[in-house]
Amino acid sequence: MPTTHLEMSPPVPESEAARNLTAAAKDGAARSMSAERRRNGLPPGDSESNDPFPRVGPVPAMAQRKMDDESVEILLVDDVPDKLLALEAALSDIGQIVVKAHSGSEALRLLLQRDFAVILLDINMPVMDGFETAALIRQRKSSAHTPIIFITSFSTAEVEVYRGYSLGAVDYLFTPVTPEVLRSKVSVFVELAKKNREIHRQAEALRRAEEERMQRKLDETNARLEWETRRNHFFRLSIELLAISDYKGVLSQTNPTWQKTLGYREEQLHGHPLTEFIHPDDLTATNEIIANILKADTPLYFENRFRAQDGSYRWLGWTIAPFAAEGLLYIFARDMTERRERENEIRRLNGDLEQRTLSLQLLNQELESFSYSLAHDLRTPLRSITAYSEMLIGGEAGELSSEAAKMVRTVQRNSGRMTQLMDDFLAFFRVARKDVKQEKIVMTAVVREAIATVQVDNKRIIDIRVGALPPAKGDPAMVLQIFVNLISNAVKFTAGREKAEVEIGCLTDRSPPVYYVKDNGVGFNMKYYSRLFGVFERLHRREEFDGTGIGLAIVQKIVQRHGGSVWAESTVDQGATFFFTLAPT
């Protein structure tokens, strides 16, 4: 197996003595390196082939993949590069990872990062010699027992030898080092390191296995205790009626909710079959359901009446789950009496609602008949009254006295008012029944059309200003009716002004936009605001301002059918402003 070479710093100038000591080893090292390059797939003819001992940093990825997982690391420490090369070449055949350090401080840095099977340490090094380095190595816990072999080129006094052994040295080697002796000594510590590693691995595996076994037992015990604790808490604190029975339905455990809900103490339930408390009318169906639960071995839900301690019956919703492994039934129940009562009340209310709906349908039919009468039957005599009144005024029946002419004009005016009233009522009725279209509305165009529709007295000065109006979405014909009615109101209630001012605009900073029609007319008292949009409601006398009192009711109905809202603000004799919104586009 190839030896991977690691070097952490650049070489220092080699000495003449070191060259003499390592000259014989270079050829063998070069041959070993060439063979290793071939095994790693590197070409022998590149620039690096000229140097049999290339100095590298971290181990290349390819070399790392080729390393044996069982390899250990050997640290060589010497300030003379040739001596390091000679030692490395001598150890190339043992198939382990050789790491080189060129000083004691570099060796200490390496020991902070990794563990070594043995350290070959030169005694005579500048700055920090081998003894000082060994002393510092022994101070670190992880390297306190790492074997150290001192290597020296000079004879060592007995005191120095003892000093080395006191620092944890296991042997001394003198240069020139015999490769066989070096390999033999180092191999002993390599094998020892491997065995220690295997022992540590086995001990760690045994420790983890024992920890896992104990953890599993602890987890099982904790899970069982937690499950039992939660079950007891669940039974004690649950607002549901919980119970356990055997397959015959005999109760063995219940929670306190049974007493709170039905009034039974534990001793009144335990040892008694569940069917003992079921309403006689529900007993047969209940027995069939429980038989199906046991047969299918699956939970089922059902409801029945259960006798309380005071003799009354309450509706309970049951879920019974079989647990065949223990031969037990887990029972969950909930008091459904209030829900049943609400359902009965809902059924009663639905019956009332159906009756009211039928009544409303009949009323709608009557209203449609009445509308038909307004549109046809009642309009015919009014037309006759109006026609004959005009004939009388025109002299068809001869000359009328002034008093008679006044009466005929009164009849004519009232018949016209009645006709207008029926027309407005029919318009209101049509708005309530008509389907609302959803189209894009160009509000400015609609307002211009509304202004043209409203009859304006040419003798009056009426200033109508139209501001910027954003488009809306809805029924164009209905929205046109809104503006016609509001503009007509503004024109009508500014009749007493020398100059009538009507402003039509929109508040675009609101969402949805708020359209408005403002005038400088007589206004109204906000105290009577609740009557403003009522059908046939009037806030001014007919003698002052003519009208039927339906126009604003139609406006409100159209706005509501568009999903919007309408309101007004006014001060007496200072005008009024009507606002409305439509559903957002």
Side-chain angles (χ1 to χ4, degrees), residues 58-80:
V59 180
M62 181 165 56
Q64 285 283 11
R65 291 195 296 270
K66 294 178 179 293
M67 284 182 184
D68 187 351
D69 290 340
E70 298 300 321
S71 297
V72 297
E73 293 184 318
I74 302 167
L75 179 60
L76 307 180
V77 187
D78 201 314
D79 62 317
V80 180

Side-chain angles (χ1 to χ4, degrees), residues 448-479:
R448 297 298 181 189
E449 184 178 353
I451 294 173
T453 303
V454 174
Q455 295 181 358
V456 179
D457 187 357
N458 295 328
K459 297 179 181 179
R460 297 177 54 196
I461 300 175
I462 301 178
D463 181 15
I464 300 180
R465 299 186 300 275
V466 180
L469 300 175
K473 185 177 181 180
D475 191 311
M478 288 187 172
V479 175

Side-chain angles (χ1 to χ4, degrees), residues 44 198 204 232 262 270 312 356 370 402 412 445 534 570 572:
E198 182 62 26
E204 183 65 19
N232 292 336
L262 301 171
H270 295 179
S312 63
R356 292 181 181 180
F370 176 67
S402 60
Q412 188 180 27
S570 178
V572 175

Side-chain angles (χ1 to χ4, degrees), residues 132-202:
E132 294 173 329
T133 303
L136 293 174
I137 290 173
R138 290 293 180 243
Q139 291 179 11
R140 186 169 178 264
K141 183 178 180 181
S142 63
S143 60
H145 302 289
T146 302
I148 298 175
I149 298 178
F150 282 118
I151 298 177
T152 181
S153 302
F154 306 99
S155 176
T156 305
E158 184 175 349
V159 174
E160 294 297 326
V161 172
Y162 286 146
R163 182 184 175 190
Y165 284 126
S166 68
L167 293 173
V170 297
D171 205 347
Y172 275 85
L173 290 176
F174 295 93
T175 57
V177 177
T178 304
E180 290 79 6
V181 174
L182 177 63
R183 286 194 292 270
S184 176
K185 291 179 179 292
V186 171
S187 296
V188 172
F189 296 109
V190 167
E191 293 302 320
L192 179 61
K194 289 183 177 180
K195 290 180 180 179
N196 287 337
R197 178 186 292 177
E198 182 62 26
I199 291 172
H200 178 75
R201 185 185 298 116
Q202 292 176 355

Side-chain angles (χ1 to χ4, degrees), residues 286-487:
T286 301
N287 287 330
E288 291 178 357
I289 293 173
I290 293 177
N292 291 334
I293 292 173
L294 299 177
K295 181 179 179 180
D297 194 26
T298 184
L300 289 177
Y301 176 84
F302 61 96
E303 297 180 8
N304 62 21
R305 286 165 288 183
F306 194 88
R307 188 178 71 249
Q309 200 274 336
D310 60 4
S312 63
Y313 283 91
R314 300 189 69 82
W315 280 96
L316 299 183
W318 302 86
T319 299
I320 297 181
F323 193 13
E326 297 181 359
L328 298 176
L329 296 177
Y330 285 85
I331 300 171
F332 308 83
R334 175 179 294 183
D335 188 359
M336 311 297 291
T337 305
E338 292 184 3
R339 195 206 72 184
R340 285 277 185 160
E341 292 175 351
R342 287 196 299 269
E343 288 177 352
N344 292 334
E345 179 65 16
I346 289 172
R347 281 192 290 269
R348 185 187 65 80
L349 292 175
N350 284 340
D352 294 344
L353 183 59
E354 290 177 0
Q355 186 63 37
R356 292 181 181 180
T357 301
L358 181 60
S359 300
L360 287 175
Q361 290 175 348
L362 294 175
L363 288 175
N364 283 334
Q365 292 176 0
E366 294 176 359
L367 185 58
E368 289 178 1
S369 299
F370 176 67
S371 300
Y372 183 83
S373 298
L374 284 179
H376 300 86
D377 300 342
L378 296 180
R379 192 183 296 273
T380 300
L382 286 175
R383 281 199 294 266
S384 299
I385 293 173
T386 302
Y388 284 119
S389 298
E390 292 176 353
M391 291 172 63
L392 290 173
I393 293 298
E396 292 292 335
E399 190 69 27
L400 296 178
S401 63
S402 60
E403 186 65 27
K406 182 179 179 181
M407 291 180 182
V408 172
R409 290 191 182 91
T410 301
V411 171
Q412 188 180 27
R413 185 172 58 255
N414 287 333
S415 64
R417 183 178 292 116
M418 180 63 71
T419 300
Q420 183 62 45
L421 188 62
M422 286 190 294
D423 290 341
D424 290 346
F425 182 80
L426 288 173
F428 181 81
F429 185 73
R430 283 194 298 269
V431 167
R433 292 177 54 104
K434 183 182 178 183
D435 293 333
V436 179
K437 299 178 182 178
Q438 293 296 327
E439 300 176 1
K440 183 177 181 181
I441 305 174
V442 181
M443 298 296 276
T444 303
V446 170
V447 168
R448 297 298 181 189
E449 184 178 353
I451 294 173
T453 303
V454 174
Q455 295 181 358
V456 179
D457 187 357
N458 295 328
K459 297 179 181 179
R460 297 177 54 196
I461 300 175
I462 301 178
D463 181 15
I464 300 180
R465 299 186 300 275
V466 180
L469 300 175
K473 185 177 181 180
D475 191 311
M478 288 187 172
V479 175
L480 173 63
Q481 188 65 50
I482 292 175
F483 281 110
V484 167
N485 288 8
L486 293 180
I487 295 171

Side-chain angles (χ1 to χ4, degrees), residues 6-263:
L6 303 178
E7 186 165 357
M8 304 305 293
S9 63
V12 298
E14 59 185 13
S15 66
E16 184 66 27
R19 285 195 298 272
N20 293 333
L21 288 172
T22 60
K26 281 190 175 182
D27 290 340
R31 289 192 298 273
S32 175
M33 177 59 68
S34 298
E36 179 179 0
R37 290 173 61 82
R38 287 193 298 272
R39 286 192 296 271
N40 288 337
L42 297 175
D46 60 8
S47 61
E48 292 183 2
S49 64
N50 297 327
D51 184 3
F53 305 102
R55 293 168 174 82
V56 297
V59 180
M62 181 165 56
Q64 285 283 11
R65 291 195 296 270
K66 294 178 179 293
M67 284 182 184
D68 187 351
D69 290 340
E70 298 300 321
S71 297
V72 297
E73 293 184 318
I74 302 167
L75 179 60
L76 307 180
V77 187
D78 201 314
D79 62 317
V80 180
D82 284 349
K83 291 173 65 178
L84 285 175
L85 295 176
L87 292 173
E88 182 180 27
L91 295 175
S92 62
D93 292 340
I94 66 175
Q96 306 304 317
I97 303 171
V98 175
V99 181
K100 295 181 291 183
H102 297 83
S103 65
S105 59
E106 184 178 351
L108 292 175
R109 286 196 299 271
L110 289 170
L111 284 165
L112 291 174
Q113 303 170 1
R114 60 186 77 180
D115 295 324
F116 296 94
V118 62
I119 302 173
L120 301 180
L121 180 60
D122 183 31
I123 293 177
N124 299 303
M125 293 186 296
V127 183
M128 182 188 298
D129 63 18
F131 292 133
E132 294 173 329
T133 303
L136 293 174
I137 290 173
R138 290 293 180 243
Q139 291 179 11
R140 186 169 178 264
K141 183 178 180 181
S142 63
S143 60
H145 302 289
T146 302
I148 298 175
I149 298 178
F150 282 118
I151 298 177
T152 181
S153 302
F154 306 99
S155 176
T156 305
E158 184 175 349
V159 174
E160 294 297 326
V161 172
Y162 286 146
R163 182 184 175 190
Y165 284 126
S166 68
L167 293 173
V170 297
D171 205 347
Y172 275 85
L173 290 176
F174 295 93
T175 57
V177 177
T178 304
E180 290 79 6
V181 174
L182 177 63
R183 286 194 292 270
S184 176
K185 291 179 179 292
V186 171
S187 296
V188 172
F189 296 109
V190 167
E191 293 302 320
L192 179 61
K194 289 183 177 180
K195 290 180 180 179
N196 287 337
R197 178 186 292 177
E198 182 62 26
I199 291 172
H200 178 75
R201 185 185 298 116
Q202 292 176 355
E204 183 65 19
L206 289 174
R207 183 188 65 79
R208 286 198 301 268
E210 183 64 18
E211 284 185 355
E212 291 174 359
R213 186 179 67 84
M214 295 301 296
Q215 188 62 42
R216 284 195 300 271
K217 285 188 175 181
L218 181 61
D219 291 343
E220 291 172 358
T221 302
N222 289 338
R224 185 173 61 256
L225 290 175
E226 185 178 0
W227 182 83
E228 293 176 354
T229 301
R230 288 184 177 181
R231 186 189 66 179
N232 292 336
H233 278 298
F234 180 70
F235 258 72
R236 185 172 63 255
L237 301 177
S238 176
I239 62 173
E240 310 292 341
L241 290 85
L242 305 180
I244 298 176
S245 76
D246 58 18
Y247 266 32
K248 294 182 180 180
V250 177
L251 298 170
S252 59
Q253 186 177 353
T254 55
N255 67 337
T257 309
W258 288 80
Q259 184 171 2
K260 296 178 183 177
T261 304
L262 301 171

